[in-house]
Amino acid sequence: MKKDKNYINSIRTIKEKCIGCTHCLRICPTEAIRVRNRKMELYDLKCIDCGECFKVCPTGSIYSFYDNIEVIKNFDYNILIVPNIFPSINFGMLSYEDVIKRLFSLGFNEIWEEGIGNEAYLIALQKILKETKDTIKPIIPTSCPAIVRLLQVNYPLLINNLTVINLPLDILGNYIKEKRKNIKSFGLFYLSTYPCKVTALKNPLGLKSSPFNGVFSLSDIYKRLMIEKIEGSGEFFKSGKVGVSSGRRGGEEDFLEEFKVISIDGIWNINKFFDEMEEEKIPYFDYIDAKACLLGCVGGVFLKNQNFLLNFYNQREEEKRRKSLMSDVVEKDIDEFLKDENLLLTEKINPRPQYLLSENMDIAAKIFQEVNTIYDLLPKFDCGSCGAPSCRSFAEDVVLNKIKLTECKFIEEKNL
Amino acid sequence: MENQPLLVESFKIIGKDYENGGEASSKIKSILKKLGIPPEIIKKVSICAYESEMNIVIYAYEGEITLFIYKDRIKVEAKDIGPGIENLELAMKEGYSTAPPEAIELGFGAGMGLPNIKNNSDRMKIDTDIGKGTTLTFEVDLNEKG
């Protein structure tokens, strides 16, 4: 799949369903949401695809962009990667093996667990922590795409702490692509439960192109699995214990025992931590296992309200696989995974200039002063009635001519 | 060099208010971020601003930190009403500190404050008046990166 530089985020809304209730407004960690004319509006360049808005939306009007599964018909041979938390999902009466069999019947020839990529990622990380002395610490991972984008939008000072290692999913994708290069027409796909990963595949950061040909939604596939009760067969590649636990908060910590690692989950907790980190108030750490969803990937966006349950099943699954720490593929072929072209980012990830008021400092300073003048007039309740998440963001919108000052209920009263 | 500042912002600091110590420098940091100052410069200014803010909190009764942004540099003035610095030469020495016990208990007063500001800024000036107060000014240039 070619990188689409114009593909910025995956969050979409169904306008008809949106009632303009402002639930999503305040939960957004980057203040990317406004409510205008009783509808949710997204400032695309500020959105980091964390999916918090999706989780709180009471009317179900927020969804994520996905490819239609029909695209697999364009290829003779199809490979699907399932997310690392896939084995932890409860499919009711169906066993995990049954689910995989049914997945094959949808037209896939091979199914790989994403956890395999996480295993390779962790081995590479361990190597870097051990061998490279001059990396900026603590290392912030690329494994959670929402975190990478959070740094771009909110924490430009920390962008150099990002590791040079690829997203685990891309490491695995690159590996498979290389291994199957003899097959003429093959498609590589990912089954996602996260909008952040959809964006990461459509417009990868730090890479020229993505090894993937498409990304499907779990809920869409889930429905199909339940309706079409046909069993298929193909090659199935399982991850080991490490791959499974990497989807849970603290899972990576277990593997990196010998280093000083701290695990943080939940985008707001991470926001607070990064604030302190920017001010150098945090003691020394080698690595921060930061995951945007509460409890980690098991709190995945499209598994609304199931995070504790999934966390439980994840621990069980890990227990089941305790005998094989790593997947067979990683055990046998780790050198191939760790080849530079599979493993490393090729481009530097830069901050998005959208956190600025203007790219010209003179103008930015002027805007800043105007914003302060307007902010002083406001009640500072951050009530959200104007459709902006805070009085300060409202003041900024006013100065940037995106909204009228009189939209503030309190200003109106005063003037009348 | 003395052109008009593009932006001036002041913050009041209260002595011994350890709990809120660091808030002014945190605000300064977020202003610089919004203006698109290069990250390396923000880091330097934040470190210096934090040290001078904590100096007021630890040693003085009250004070004010003012941020001046010029086209070519950032200036911060930390002015306090306090005891003043008795021996400036000693105060500039790494590891020398006259911090009160409660500050040391909280992990402050390692004697690195002033040396840290000197190392991270391009110019630094201290005017002190024993028994009245101290004004510390530092500047970080914008024109060169890093």
Side-chain angles (χ1 to χ4, degrees), chain A residues 81-134:
Chain A
I81 298 183
V82 293
N84 55 357
I85 53 107
F86 198 62
S88 321
I89 298 175
N90 184 1
F91 289 97
M93 299 297 285
L94 282 183
S95 72
Y96 185 51
E97 283 68 31
D98 291 338
V99 171
I100 296 294
K101 276 182 201 158
R102 288 193 184 184
L103 265 182
F104 280 124
S105 78
L106 295 179
F108 296 105
N109 304 78
E110 287 179 30
I111 293 171
W112 292 63
E113 283 182 357
E114 183 191 2
I116 300 170
N118 288 78
E119 291 167 4
Y121 167 86
L122 281 169
I123 293 174
L125 188 72
Q126 204 177 32
K127 227 173 161 184
I128 287 191
L129 284 170
K130 240 184 231 161
E131 289 164 16
T132 338
K133 291 264 164 341
D134 54 352

Side-chain angles (χ1 to χ4, degrees), chain A residues 62-224:
Chain A
I62 298 173
Y63 68 101
S64 171
F65 176 84
Y66 283 106
D67 289 311
N68 191 316
I69 189 165
E70 299 297 319
V71 298
I72 65 171
K73 290 186 177 150
N74 299 336
F75 302 91
D76 299 338
Y77 193 87
N78 292 303
I79 300 176
L80 179 73
I81 298 183
V82 293
N84 55 357
I85 53 107
F86 198 62
S88 321
I89 298 175
N90 184 1
F91 289 97
M93 299 297 285
L94 282 183
S95 72
Y96 185 51
E97 283 68 31
D98 291 338
V99 171
I100 296 294
K101 276 182 201 158
R102 288 193 184 184
L103 265 182
F104 280 124
S105 78
L106 295 179
F108 296 105
N109 304 78
E110 287 179 30
I111 293 171
W112 292 63
E113 283 182 357
E114 183 191 2
I116 300 170
N118 288 78
E119 291 167 4
Y121 167 86
L122 281 169
I123 293 174
L125 188 72
Q126 204 177 32
K127 227 173 161 184
I128 287 191
L129 284 170
K130 240 184 231 161
E131 289 164 16
T132 338
K133 291 264 164 341
D134 54 352
T135 24
I136 300 171
K137 302 273 182 63
I139 293 178
I140 298 175
T142 48
S143 48
C144 179
I147 299 293
V148 179
R149 285 163 170 82
L150 179 72
L151 289 182
Q152 280 191 301
V153 176
N154 274 8
Y155 301 100
L157 267 62
L158 300 179
I159 206 113
N160 291 329
N161 290 57
L162 271 176
T163 167
V164 290
I165 312 174
N166 226 326
L167 186 70
L169 185 56
D170 280 328
I171 300 177
L172 181 58
N174 288 337
Y175 171 80
I176 297 175
K177 200 131 212 195
E178 179 65 24
K179 282 280 152 185
R180 300 288 179 267
K181 66 179 175 203
N182 293 331
I183 299 170
K184 252 190 202 146
S185 152
F186 93 86
L188 183 62
F189 302 94
Y190 180 59
L191 182 59
S192 182
T193 48
Y194 320 91
C196 67
K197 287 202 175 152
V198 179
T199 311
L201 299 188
K202 295 275 174 197
N203 181 5
L205 291 172
L207 290 178
K208 285 210 168 60
S209 70
S210 155
F212 289 85
N213 300 91
V215 48
F216 308 129
S217 122
L218 180 68
S219 47
D220 182 26
I221 298 271
Y222 189 90
K223 270 182 232 150
R224 283 166 195 265

Side-chain angles (χ1 to χ4, degrees), chain A residues 31 46 154-158 160-161 274-276 278-281 351 355-362 364-366 368-369 372 392 396, chain B residues 5-9 21-23 25-27 29-40 42-43 46-47 50 69-72 142:
Chain A
E31 299 199 325
K46 278 193 168 181
N154 274 8
Y155 301 100
L157 267 62
L158 300 179
N160 291 329
N161 290 57
F274 282 174
D275 270 333
E276 301 251 297
E278 259 193 351
E279 281 151 35
E280 310 203 343
K281 288 181 192 159
Y355 64 91
L356 307 179
L357 290 167
S358 160
E359 290 196 42
N360 177 321
M361 200 178 80
D362 288 22
K366 252 184 221 138
F368 189 83
Q369 264 162 339
N372 273 356
R392 186 155 281 278
E396 279 179 28
Chain B
L6 298 171
L7 191 73
V8 181
E9 286 283 319
E23 262 183 26
S25 44
S26 174
K27 279 180 188 149
K29 184 197 72 184
S30 70
I31 293 173
L32 299 181
K33 261 162 84 177
K34 287 237 167 195
L35 298 186
I37 310 284
E40 304 79 25
I42 302 182
K43 248 186 191 155
S46 309
I47 292 170
Y50 180 70
I69 296 174
Y70 296 93
K71 238 184 151 64
D72 57 349
L142 277 174

